[in-house]
Amino acid sequence: MLAYRTHSTFAPVKRIKSIDQVSNMTRALFFNQYFNREPVIMPCLIDHWPALGKWSPEYFKAEFGDEEVFVSNHDAGKESFMESFLKNEILEMTLGEYVDAMTTMPSSRALREEFEIFKMIPALYEDVCYFSPFSNREMATTDDFYKALWFGPAKYVTGMHA
């Protein structure tokens, strides 16, 4: 049994169940066995996505630098996301301008999910293979399919997601 010391006493530490690793995850297996039930590790699941070899700040600037994007301000160390959201501190700029400014602007500025960059730059879908194996072109491009891309500077911090 593992234990840790707290105020001169030892308290038992609850053992955590081992987490399954599934190398060849399928959509059906994921939704039938793991979704909303159990954590699972899916090693190498997205190794085939072109984004892994292509995406970088330089790539985004070169390929999509003229696209208009919305950059929000959220400092997770100082305020909740709701407080930041209500302040509505949004910068509109091109993706190229954002890439150029990433090293000089506050680390609290980022392209966040709520601005739907996949709608602004649909070509990005192909680089994530339409989120395979969980989706396909028809599913991924519908409005009700959740998809998000966050793009921010080094040391950007976001709140916990559940």
Side-chain angles (χ1 to χ4, degrees):
M1 168 162 297
L2 298 173
Y4 62 91
R5 190 174 173 98
T6 172
H7 305 289
S8 301
T9 62
F10 284 94
V13 174
K14 182 179 177 184
R15 286 200 176 264
I16 298 175
K17 178 184 169 192
S18 64
I19 298 174
D20 291 352
Q21 288 197 38
V22 180
S23 295
N24 296 314
M25 181 66 72
T26 64
R27 184 178 199 282
L29 177 62
F30 178 76
F31 284 104
N32 290 334
Q33 187 166 338
Y34 296 101
F35 187 73
N36 283 335
R37 293 184 192 104
E38 299 284 333
V40 62
I41 298 170
M42 299 177 275
C44 308
L45 186 69
I46 63 170
D47 285 355
H48 66 286
W49 287 8
L52 296 177
K54 291 167 60 173
W55 287 7
S56 68
E58 296 77 22
Y59 171 80
F60 282 116
K61 181 178 177 182
E63 294 295 316
F64 310 107
D66 293 334
E67 296 289 335
E68 292 290 322
V69 295
F70 301 97
V71 179
S72 62
N73 186 40
H74 173 58
D75 188 339
K78 293 183 180 174
E79 59 193 1
S80 71
F81 175 71
M82 184 57 72
E83 290 168 322
S84 296
F85 181 78
L86 292 174
K87 286 182 182 177
N88 198 30
E89 295 177 4
I90 308 299
L91 298 176
E92 187 172 348
M93 59 180 59
T94 67
L95 187 51
E97 290 169 334
Y98 177 65
V99 168
D100 288 341
M102 283 177 68
T103 58
T104 58
M105 69 174 34
S107 62
S108 59
R109 293 253 177 221
L111 293 170
R112 294 177 51 94
E113 65 185 314
E114 63 267 21
F115 294 111
E116 301 179 335
I117 197 163
F118 284 102
K119 280 188 178 179
M120 291 186 278
I121 308 172
L124 295 177
Y125 282 118
E126 293 179 29
D127 289 345
V128 294
C129 297
Y130 299 95
F131 305 99
S132 70
F134 300 104
S135 183
N136 57 38
R137 178 186 305 260
E138 292 76 31
M139 290 173 59
T141 56
T142 63
D143 286 340
D144 61 345
F145 183 85
Y146 177 77
K147 53 220 163 246
L149 171 65
W150 293 38
F151 180 34
K155 300 183 182 178
Y156 180 77
V157 176
T158 185
M160 185 171 138
H161 288 69

